[in-house]
Amino acid sequence: MLSLLAKQRFKQYRVFFLLLLISFSLCIAIMHSFGLFYINMKEGFIQHSKLTDVLVGPSQSQNALFKEGLLLQSSPKAKIPEAVLNKSPYIDSLSPIIFSDSHRNKTVIATTDSFFHNLEKKLKATAFDKGRAFRNKEDIVIGATIAKRFNYKLGKRVELSHGHGHHHDEVMIVSGILNSTSTVLDNCLFIATEAYESIHHLKKENKAQFYWISAKKPIFSASIANTFHQIKGLSALAPASYIKQYLRSFTAVKSSITLCLLALIIVFAMQLISMLASLFHSYMKEARVLFTQGSSLLFITFSFFLDQCLIIGSSAIIGISSSIALCSVYSRAIQKITLFPLTHLAFHIGLYASIIIPLLLLSFLGTAISLLLWKKHSRSLKI
């Protein structure tokens, strides 16, 4: 009975319901997209802040140091001697980060075994999903996304491209596959510094473009960063402190997004009220007929509540699906804006709760308004 009533109403007022469906779907798609951007930026920053206690690189702004040295977006030409960094008593270990070569347009980083030990220490999880770190110059470790995307297994022969025609391609053998970290490391490959020097015919120089430093205690991170930042030709930052400051400065953007979401919710409410006002007289005629046929006020109320749920539910499905589809198609462009890949396209409890709860409240709001109107016109309904 309820389904027949709903079908009849949608057929009778199909143009009005279609416009309402498009409007609601667009609003929900915008809400969902805003939420995706903010969540991925915030969680991306937080996850990357766990990778190292201190980051040291050539003299540059902290924003550039963060992008180049932690997000591994580009390679500076200048290198830093390791001896300069061994003066601090608060350092537990340091890992060189050298931009080496490439493989299928993916970055190859030259480093040491300490890099993986520090990674386990910082992330409090096993670094390797399969295999091990370097034992030979031919060994290469690959990130989780690389392994999944190219279907690489242990023992796979991997060719490295480098230089401008004055080197031959080098063949490495996969010795280890990292666990997923939800960071830029998932899209990188790693070779030993000895392999890097051999490939490029270099003598052992103990220099690197960046260093990831593990402090003896996290409380020493800021002190280490300040010490190296004062040295001419160096820049340093403690990612955890830097990201906290960045996120605090990002509160203005968060407030703007929140205001936009509140505005959209208000638009929802106004459209719902507008729908009820526009269809009120038609609904009253239907309610009068249903009541004379013996239907209870609860049945009549629930039938109109079902209409609202169908419209809002369909809008939510269309809006969220459209948002996910568009974000998937333009994921690379979005990553350039937000700096991080979209990792919560499928499901995120907080995001969906922030959308579903207001929608449920709107449905109840529409029902409450309907009850008030019906109470006012109870005489015409002969209740």
Side-chain angles (χ1 to χ4, degrees):
M1 181 67 176
L2 286 172
S3 60
L4 291 174
L5 284 172
K7 184 177 180 180
Q8 184 179 353
R9 290 196 193 103
F10 280 112
K11 186 176 180 179
Q12 185 176 357
Y13 308 111
R14 57 184 176 274
V15 176
F16 184 85
F17 283 136
L18 182 62
L19 291 173
L20 202 60
L21 185 68
I22 293 171
S23 177
F24 272 34
S25 299
L26 181 61
C27 290
I28 292 172
I30 294 171
M31 289 173 66
H32 187 261
S33 298
F34 272 138
L36 275 180
F37 293 162
Y38 177 74
I39 288 169
N40 279 276
M41 282 190 70
K42 182 178 179 181
E43 295 194 3
F45 274 116
I46 291 173
Q47 190 66 13
H48 279 79
S49 71
K50 299 176 182 178
L51 294 178
T52 183
D53 291 322
V54 180
L55 170 64
V56 179
S59 181
Q60 57 190 316
S61 69
Q62 291 209 327
N63 287 339
L65 179 62
F66 179 81
K67 290 180 181 180
E68 293 183 1
L70 198 62
L71 301 185
L72 308 177
Q73 291 189 350
S74 61
S75 167
K77 293 181 179 179
K79 289 186 178 180
I80 304 166
E82 185 176 320
V84 177
L85 306 178
N86 287 329
K87 296 178 181 179
S88 176
Y90 302 122
I91 294 177
D92 182 33
S93 63
L94 52 85
S95 305
I97 301 294
I98 306 171
F99 287 79
S100 177
D101 308 295
S102 65
H103 173 71
R104 295 194 176 186
N105 295 321
K106 301 298 181 182
T107 302
V108 177
I109 299 295
T111 187
T112 59
D113 286 349
S114 63
F115 175 86
F116 304 109
H117 295 310
N118 292 336
L119 193 63
E120 289 183 345
K121 177 183 173 183
K122 293 299 295 177
L123 296 180
K124 298 179 181 179
T126 305
F128 287 90
D129 177 36
K130 298 176 182 177
R132 50 169 173 74
F134 323 117
R135 286 186 184 173
N136 306 305
K137 290 182 180 179
E138 297 79 16
D139 288 347
I140 187 169
V141 174
I142 61 176
T145 302
I146 299 286
K148 184 178 180 180
R149 181 175 179 182
F150 301 125
N151 195 29
Y152 285 173
K153 308 292 184 183
L154 295 179
K156 171 71 177 177
R157 296 171 68 85
V158 175
E159 290 187 357
L160 303 186
S161 302
H162 54 273
H164 298 282
H166 57 279
H167 282 301
H168 295 290
D169 289 341
E170 299 292 334
V171 177
M172 311 294 286
I173 299 173
V174 176
S175 66
I177 300 173
L178 295 178
N179 277 314
S180 177
T181 61
S182 299
T183 68
V184 68
L185 302 184
D186 294 344
N187 278 294
C188 291
L189 301 91
F190 305 88
I191 62 173
T193 52
E194 293 81 6
Y196 167 78
E197 292 163 357
S198 175
I199 290 170
H200 294 272
H201 308 293
L202 300 172
K203 294 181 180 179
K204 190 171 182 63
E205 55 183 1
N206 289 328
K207 290 183 179 180
Q209 286 132 334
F210 299 100
Y211 286 93
W212 287 13
I213 297 175
S214 175
K216 290 182 178 179
K217 292 183 179 180
I219 196 172
F220 297 146
S221 300
S223 176
I224 296 171
N226 290 333
T227 299
F228 291 133
H229 197 68
Q230 301 302 320
I231 299 176
K232 186 177 181 181
L234 295 184
S235 294
L237 63 83
S241 300
Y242 171 82
I243 288 170
K244 283 181 182 178
Q245 293 176 1
Y246 185 89
L247 290 176
R248 278 199 293 265
S249 65
F250 197 70
T251 52
V253 178
K254 181 183 177 182
S255 300
S256 300
I257 293 174
T258 303
L259 288 174
C260 288
L261 296 181
L262 288 174
L264 288 172
I265 292 171
I266 292 172
V267 169
F268 272 147
M270 292 180 67
Q271 286 181 327
L272 204 58
I273 294 170
S274 175
M275 179 190 75
L276 291 172
S278 300
L279 300 181
F280 177 69
H281 292 294
S282 299
Y283 274 21
M284 286 303 99
K285 290 180 182 178
E286 290 185 21
R288 189 180 297 111
V289 172
L290 290 172
F291 184 74
T292 53
Q293 291 177 351
S295 299
S296 65
L297 179 60
L298 179 63
F299 176 85
I300 297 170
T301 303
F302 187 75
S303 69
F304 293 151
F305 176 70
L306 181 63
D307 289 351
Q308 299 165 40
C309 289
L310 287 173
I311 292 172
I312 292 175
S314 301
S315 300
I317 294 171
I318 294 171
I320 292 173
S321 300
S322 301
S323 174
I324 292 174
L326 288 172
C327 288
S328 299
V329 171
Y330 297 103
S331 59
R332 290 186 178 180
I334 293 169
Q335 185 173 349
K336 289 182 179 179
I337 298 172
T338 63
L339 302 178
F340 307 108
L342 294 175
T343 56
H344 295 289
L345 284 176
F347 184 74
H348 189 277
I349 295 175
L351 175 59
Y352 285 88
S354 65
I355 294 175
I356 292 171
I357 291 174
L359 293 180
L360 291 174
L361 292 175
L362 286 175
S363 298
F364 287 117
L365 174 65
T367 305
I369 293 172
S370 300
L371 287 172
L372 289 173
L373 292 173
W374 289 334
K375 185 177 180 180
K376 182 179 179 181
H377 291 75
S378 59
R379 292 182 180 178
S380 64
L381 290 174
K382 299 179 182 180
I383 295 176

